[in-house]
């Protein structure tokens, strides 16, 4: 091995020392208990994966209004905070570090999830194409309620409260979910944001909601414990933007002043391009953003090492590989075979496909070249 940086090079993330550069990407698994409360099974799952340099726990709604799928965890009730404490304690006991991804789905919800059966909220009254996954199965998305300007501060406040609760739950930091077509992303892109107030129109205005949320949560956490996730090329959840390079180039630059823990980018995928997305290369954002960059989506051991050696990113997040391989760093280190993820058990259910993926054991027939 030459001296170039690779997945096993330690990394100083603010005041946190990461033993490797392998990040567990946030992964919704829909296995929270009653009241959207995390429980011991979730603690086992995350503790199994504590050898990651950093775990980013799954998207977690900051309010009942922010929910859009069955059995996703929340971070707005005392029971949820206590449930998450089981998770953070278990990860810390195994020597790991764990951030929580704060989530509001915006229009990717359904009245079935909303308090009093209300309409989901969004920057503009534009229904996404497709169906919501409700407790009774798929139902067509509805046209959301366009937030009044006067309703926005309340949501920013919910993020601040989520940040307070995440601190109380023992997390090491938080990630603001501004990716994948959920509420913040709906504000950033002009396909979903047709507002005419100070939160719409120019990119300076469209990014305002995100910046206000960052201000709010950094009144609770040190800035170097707060990350942001963006998906500049993503088309998931019926997302569009007329100029993604400008929108996300500007957004990345606007984050520079905060001295955040990191900017986490979901790279473009073949599916995004097929559905009309414009690839916004991570390399392009590297030039705009001066802090720590996490690359994600479609990475393998080889691709991950390459992106680090080329200095296009500082850390690499792995999603589906971490679902199937609780000991992913060890397997990467040994270049051991990987368990294959089973998409049928990604969402919902119990232990199967969650905590029962085997750890690597070097039995004689499994030994590979070390
Ligand atoms: C089952 C599943 C759940 C996911 N949940 C989230 C989530 O909660 N938050 C998020 O930002 N991305 C989520 N993603 C996207 C992943 O974080 C990641 O970007 C994606 O899986 C691509 O990376 P990979 O090729 O390493 O799997 C999810 C993906 C999958 C497959």
């Amino acid at each position: 091995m030459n001296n170039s940086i690779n997945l096993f090079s330690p990394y100083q993330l603010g005041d946190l020392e990461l033993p490797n550069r392998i990040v567990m990407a946030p992964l919704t698994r829909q296995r929270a208990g009653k009241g959207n409360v995390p429980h011991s099974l979730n603690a086992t799952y995350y503790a199994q994966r504590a050898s990651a340099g950093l775990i980013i726990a799954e998207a977690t709604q900051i309010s009942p209004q922010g929910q859009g799928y069955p059995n996703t965890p929340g971070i707005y009730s005392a029971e949820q905070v206590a449930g998450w404490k089981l998770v953070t304690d278990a990860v810390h006991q195994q020597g790991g570090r764990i951030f929580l991804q704060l989530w509001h789905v915006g229009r990717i919800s359904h009245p079935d999830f909303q308090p009093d059966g209300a309409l989901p909220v969004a920057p503009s009254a534009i229904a996404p194409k497709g169906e919501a996954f409700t407790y009774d199965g798929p139902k067509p998305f509805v046209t959301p309620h366009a937030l009044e300007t006067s309703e926005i501060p309340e949501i920013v406040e919910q993020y601040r409260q989520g940040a307070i609760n995440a601190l109380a739950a023992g997390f090491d930091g938080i990630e603001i979910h501004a990716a994948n077509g959920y509420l913040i992303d709906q504000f950033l892109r002009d396909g979903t944001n047709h507002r005419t107030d100070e939160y719409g129109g120019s990119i300076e205005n469209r990014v305002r909601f995100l910046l206000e949320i960052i201000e709010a949560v950094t009144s609770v956490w040190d800035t170097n414990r707060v990350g942001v996730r963006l998906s500049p090329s993503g088309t998931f959840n019926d997302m569009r933007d007329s100029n993604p390079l400008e929108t996300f180039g500007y957004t990345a630059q606007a984050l520079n002043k905060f001295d955040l823990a990191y900017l986490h980018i979901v790279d473009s995928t073949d599916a995004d391009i097929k559905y009309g997305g414009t690839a916004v290369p991570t390399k392009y954002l590297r030039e705009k953003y001066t802090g720590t960059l996490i690359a994600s989506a479609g990475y393998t051991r080889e691709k991950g090492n390459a992106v680090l050696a080329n200095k296009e990113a500082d850390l690499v997040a792995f999603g589906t590989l971490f679902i199937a391989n609780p000991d992913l760093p060890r397997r990467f280190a040994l270049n051991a075979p990987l368990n294959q993820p089973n998409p049928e058990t990604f969402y919902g259910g119990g232990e199967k496909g969650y905590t029962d993926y085997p750890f690597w054991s070097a039995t004689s027939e499994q030994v590979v070249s070390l």
Side-chain angles (χ1 to χ4, degrees):
M1 193 41 118
N2 62 30
N3 306 332
S4 69
I5 290 170
N6 64 35
L7 290 167
F8 292 95
S9 312
Y11 190 74
Q12 190 71 38
L13 184 71
D15 58 348
L16 282 178
E17 285 172 31
L18 311 189
N20 60 58
R21 297 182 183 224
I22 302 168
V23 174
M24 179 176 169
L27 292 158
T28 291
R29 304 303 308 276
Q30 297 181 247
R31 284 168 167 87
K34 196 161 170 283
N36 307 86
V37 175
H39 52 108
S40 61
L41 181 65
N42 309 127
T44 302
Y45 163 76
Y46 282 111
Q48 286 177 340
R49 287 155 180 78
S51 62
L54 178 68
I55 293 172
I56 304 167
E58 66 210 79
T60 297
Q61 58 264 11
I62 54 166
S63 63
Q65 187 192 61
Q67 183 177 350
Y69 303 86
N71 304 318
T72 54
I75 187 75
Y76 52 84
S77 76
E79 293 76 15
Q80 292 161 354
V81 171
W84 277 120
K85 188 82 174 51
L86 297 176
V87 173
T88 60
D89 281 349
V91 169
H92 291 148
Q93 269 162 27
Q94 294 299 315
R97 294 139 298 278
I98 180 166
F99 278 34
L100 182 66
Q101 192 184 45
L102 297 184
W103 196 26
H104 190 307
V105 298
R107 67 178 189 160
I108 305 300
S109 185
H110 189 276
D112 284 9
F113 293 113
Q114 297 295 312
D116 303 323
L119 288 176
V121 301
S124 300
I126 304 168
K129 288 202 191 80
E131 292 171 320
F133 297 94
T134 74
Y135 287 101
D136 305 322
K139 294 187 184 176
F141 283 121
V142 299
T143 302
H145 162 68
L147 286 162
E148 302 289 343
T149 310
S150 61
E151 291 173 316
I152 292 179
E154 195 186 320
I155 298 186
V156 174
E157 176 56 24
Q158 288 168 6
Y159 277 93
R160 199 179 69 86
Q161 189 61 50
I164 291 171
N165 293 349
L167 192 60
F171 284 97
D172 298 297
I174 51 173
E175 176 174 286
I176 299 169
H177 194 349
N180 298 347
Y182 298 110
L183 184 61
I184 301 173
D185 203 16
Q186 292 159 27
F187 270 87
L188 289 175
R189 299 202 234 182
D190 61 13
T192 39
N193 183 343
H194 293 185
R195 300 179 71 87
T196 54
D197 65 358
E198 65 264 37
Y199 293 93
S202 65
I203 177 56
E204 289 85 347
N205 281 352
R206 284 181 277 130
V207 82
R208 189 181 310 280
F209 182 54
L210 171 61
L211 301 186
E212 288 183 357
I213 291 166
I214 296 174
E215 296 281 1
V217 301
T218 56
S219 71
V220 178
W221 288 87
D222 284 345
T223 58
N224 68 16
R225 296 298 185 101
V226 175
V228 171
R229 193 174 211 209
L230 298 173
S231 55
S233 321
T235 53
F236 179 60
N237 282 329
D238 196 20
M239 293 304 288
R240 298 277 175 279
D241 189 74
S242 61
N243 193 343
L245 287 167
E246 185 187 64
T247 296
F248 289 98
Y250 180 91
T251 303
Q253 272 174 329
L255 300 182
N256 283 330
K257 68 172 182 206
F258 291 103
D259 193 22
L260 296 173
Y262 60 78
L263 173 59
H264 185 177
I265 300 297
V266 183
D267 282 12
S268 68
T269 62
D270 293 345
D272 293 326
I273 305 310
K274 187 173 148 204
Y275 290 110
T278 304
V280 179
T282 299
K283 211 191 238 175
Y284 166 82
L285 296 169
R286 182 66 155 178
E287 287 160 20
K288 307 282 180 192
Y289 185 67
T290 53
T292 296
L293 202 73
I294 308 182
S296 70
Y299 281 87
T300 57
R301 176 177 181 268
E302 288 65 34
K303 250 188 100 180
N305 278 327
V307 78
L308 295 178
N310 296 340
K311 300 197 163 48
E312 282 174 30
D314 303 294
L315 302 166
V316 183
F318 299 88
T320 39
L321 289 183
F322 250 119
I323 289 179
N325 297 277
D327 53 352
L328 189 64
R330 179 151 184 265
R331 287 175 188 254
F332 276 168
L334 299 175
N335 203 10
L338 300 175
N339 299 323
Q340 290 310 304
N342 175 8
E344 283 173 18
T345 50
F346 279 1
Y347 303 107
E351 291 171 18
K352 192 167 176 293
Y354 191 53
T355 50
D356 64 351
Y357 282 106
F359 282 67
W360 168 248
S361 84
T363 59
S364 50
E365 64 275 13
Q366 287 176 314
V367 170
V368 291
S369 56
L370 299 180

